[in-house]
Amino acid sequence: MRYWAMTDPGCVRKENQDAYVVEMLDGAMLCVVCDGMGGANSGNVASALASEIFSQAVKAGWRQGLDRAQRETLLRNAVQVTNFQVYDQAVRYEEFAGMGTTLAAVLLHNGLATVVNVGDSRLYRINAQGICQVTKDHSLVQMMIDRGELRPEDARSYPGKNMITRAVGTESAVQCDVFQLEPEWGEILLLCTDGLTNLLEDQEILFEIMYNEDRQACCRRLLDIAISRGAPDNVTCILVQS
């Protein structure tokens, strides 16, 4: 398994409130992206804290031989541990009040990818058949789409597109979604924050990845496109290829 990663503060924000971690865990690979919120300092703290705590919790519980259910439990428990610690800091320190973060992560081992997400950071799978969003946003616009109140093609321009319905650290407990998939040989997984997906269509992402074999240059190209369009938010992506 190989990975390439890059983050950029974008064109507007002085601070980068995104954070990412890639860990090798005894034959497995763990990739995490977080997009913090709650003010300049608080957002930075929330994303950095969450990505680090989550990765350490997974590392502490990981061992080869875990089956699908055990891997799912491991990631769910890691989310709860992470949520508790971020929430505790937000409650304990006034300067961090209200902070929180999205979290999307994938654990890969022996051809199985276990994915977890909270918020609107995403994981895509990309192969010869096209691009497929694996995670589902926990956001106001996604809720409206599910209810038939908003068309998917109108979501990007909707005024409340940045409002999320779940986040790590904003409440004492949090729900997460877990997905299991078996990537094909050569298939690419993309983890990214909404700073990328708010500005690039899925088909644009597919084109850039499928027609650029230099994966690090591809990360740079994806971020450069977002920046060329004004990048009002921080932008982060991780590409993983089996």
Side-chain angles (χ1 to χ4, degrees), residues 108-165:
L108 300 110
H109 180 254
N110 280 354
L112 178 64
T114 307
V115 181
V116 64
N117 81 295
V118 178
D120 61 359
S121 293
R122 297 178 179 176
L123 182 136
Y124 290 87
R125 62 189 305 181
I126 298 164
N127 53 37
Q129 284 69 52
I131 183 169
C132 175
Q133 182 180 335
V134 175
T135 55
K136 186 173 182 179
D137 294 350
H138 304 132
S139 65
L140 174 63
V141 293
Q142 186 61 56
M143 184 182 297
M144 294 176 69
I145 290 170
D146 292 343
R147 293 174 177 173
E149 299 169 355
L150 185 69
R151 298 183 304 172
E153 57 268 30
D154 296 330
R156 183 172 276 106
S157 60
Y158 186 76
K161 66 181 179 180
N162 294 323
M163 295 181 63
I164 57 176
T165 56

Side-chain angles (χ1 to χ4, degrees), residues 31-53:
C31 303
V32 188
V33 296
C34 293
D35 180 359
M37 61 186 192
N41 294 327
S42 298
N44 294 348
V45 170
S47 60
L49 189 61
S51 58
E52 183 63 25
I53 292 171

Side-chain angles (χ1 to χ4, degrees), residues 48-106:
L49 189 61
S51 58
E52 183 63 25
I53 292 171
F54 180 85
S55 61
Q56 291 303 315
V58 174
K59 180 185 285 189
W62 168 253
R63 67 180 188 280
Q64 295 202 36
L66 294 182
D67 61 24
R68 287 173 177 258
Q70 290 170 324
R71 295 185 196 190
E72 177 174 335
T73 298
L74 174 61
L75 295 192
R76 287 188 183 278
N77 288 344
V79 168
Q80 296 306 322
V81 169
T82 304
N83 184 77
F84 174 81
Q85 295 210 37
V86 175
Y87 179 74
D88 178 69
Q89 294 295 303
V91 171
R92 184 174 298 185
Y93 300 103
E94 183 177 352
E95 62 268 33
F96 299 148
M99 74 175 178
T101 182
T102 68
L103 186 148
V106 59

